[in-house]
Amino acid sequence: MNIKPLGARVLVELSEVKEEVKGGIYIPDTAKEKPQEGKVIAVGIKRDDDGKEIPFDVKVGDTVLMPKYGGTEVKVGDKTYQIVREDDLLGVYA
């Protein structure tokens, strides 16, 4: 993997969404409004107003929850990644 997020951004590998079909009715992905989750693969460098580096709230290996329509989707081979600002992340699984 040769993608390094810049600034206060995080590279997240999206988790496979397990689709459940009840009663034989198919619900398309566009109708689902669930947040996405994934694993943090890399983090950029976050700086304060004085240019000093400050630590991220997430680290490589964390599983995070993020909005469905946020960041930039990147496909490398058969894997899908999302580059998201750390401020846009919704939470971290403990």
Side-chain angles (χ1 to χ4, degrees), residues 49-70:
D49 293 336
D50 296 328
K52 290 176 28 180
E53 189 174 327
I54 54 177
F56 276 79
D57 293 328
V58 297
K59 63 184 179 306
V60 173
D62 283 349
T63 300
V64 295
L65 189 64
M66 58 192 169
K68 184 170 178 86
Y69 302 107

Side-chain angles (χ1 to χ4, degrees), residues 42-87:
V43 295
I45 298 174
K46 186 165 67 169
R47 299 188 185 277
D48 63 11
D49 293 336
D50 296 328
K52 290 176 28 180
E53 189 174 327
I54 54 177
F56 276 79
D57 293 328
V58 297
K59 63 184 179 306
V60 173
D62 283 349
T63 300
V64 295
L65 189 64
M66 58 192 169
K68 184 170 178 86
Y69 302 107
T72 302
E73 188 175 289
V74 179
K75 289 192 179 213
V76 178
D78 62 342
K79 293 192 178 187
T80 303
Y81 300 92
Q82 195 91 5
I83 297 176
V84 183
R85 294 191 60 78
E86 186 191 29
D87 291 343

Side-chain angles (χ1 to χ4, degrees), residues 9-31:
R9 291 179 180 82
V10 179
L11 179 67
V12 178
E13 180 179 353
L14 299 178
S15 298
E16 289 292 322
V17 177
K18 294 183 174 58
E19 184 177 315
E20 293 182 22
V21 178
K22 294 184 180 184
I25 298 173
Y26 172 74
I27 301 172
D29 289 337
T30 55

